Amino acid sequence: MADNYLEKQYEAYEARKAAWEKERKYGKKPSPAKRPKTEEKSKGSEESSKRSEASLP
């Protein structure tokens, strides 16, 4: 059972760990938070200004 079982398992572990660390170091960077579209904002302000104009006598 010995047959270098532990050594083989440890080598496999080290290989997985190295791959994980490499991915972590050089992996895909998170994208910055996306800002809301300005079109949506301007639509809302246009609608509210139209409403206020309509309510004026």
Side-chain angles (χ1 to χ4, degrees):
M1 173 151 175
D3 292 332
N4 298 330
Y5 175 78
L6 293 177
E7 289 83 2
K8 290 178 184 177
Q9 293 298 315
Y10 189 70
E11 287 174 6
Y13 161 75
E14 286 182 326
R16 288 192 311 271
K17 183 179 176 185
W20 176 79
E21 288 176 340
K22 183 178 178 182
E23 182 182 333
R24 183 173 153 216
K25 184 175 181 181
Y26 298 113
K28 188 176 180 182
K29 294 184 179 182
S31 61
K34 294 185 179 180
R35 297 171 59 182
K37 294 182 181 178
T38 55
E39 293 175 16
E40 293 174 3
K41 251 187 182 178
S42 62
K43 277 185 178 179
S45 62
E46 288 176 10
E47 290 175 4
S48 62
S49 63
K50 287 179 183 177
R51 285 186 215 144
S52 61
E53 290 174 4
S55 64
L56 293 175

